[in-house]
Amino acid sequence: LIALRSSMIGEDSSDASFAGMFDTILNVKAENYIESLKKVYASVESDRVKEYLAKKSIKSNLLMAVVVQKMIPCDFSGVLFTRSPVNPTSAIVLD
């Protein structure tokens, strides 16, 4: 099983964040890979993204890559920032 996640250069800046805007698909089986991959790529053209671009007056052509990751069994999950997103220092933040 794999996870398909979007990745874009400049998707987060001081005045805009695309967090949660694009599709992420988890537990994709081999027989659903191409269909799921197309869905993630298509999410760059979704209504929610178009509305956000208009709201923020962003006129950029969004180019997306899709990260393919192996799913692993776990009991817990979290996010590790190598730089604090709230107070940009050299501090590492685990949430």
Side-chain angles (χ1 to χ4, degrees):
L1 297 174
I2 60 172
L4 299 172
R5 303 179 57 238
S6 66
S7 180
M8 294 176 47
I9 293 175
E11 65 183 308
D12 293 312
S13 66
S14 60
D15 56 338
S17 174
F18 287 86
M21 291 283 182
F22 310 111
D23 288 348
T24 293
I25 305 176
L26 305 176
N27 297 308
V28 177
K29 296 178 182 178
E31 60 268 21
N32 299 325
Y33 174 73
I34 299 297
E35 176 186 335
S36 298
L37 184 64
K38 288 178 181 179
K39 183 176 180 185
V40 175
Y41 274 122
S43 67
V44 78
E45 297 291 334
S46 70
D47 289 341
R48 69 178 173 257
V49 172
K50 289 176 184 176
E51 289 173 20
Y52 186 74
L53 291 171
K55 178 181 175 184
K56 291 289 189 173
S57 299
I58 299 172
K59 298 187 185 330
S60 176
N61 182 21
L62 302 179
L63 301 174
M64 177 190 292
V66 175
V67 177
V68 179
Q69 298 173 308
K70 181 179 179 180
M71 295 291 299
I72 59 171
C74 65
D75 295 321
F76 302 97
S77 67
V79 176
L80 174 68
F81 294 99
T82 55
R83 190 169 178 178
S84 171
V86 176
N87 185 15
T89 66
S90 61
I92 294 174
V93 178
L94 179 61
D95 187 11

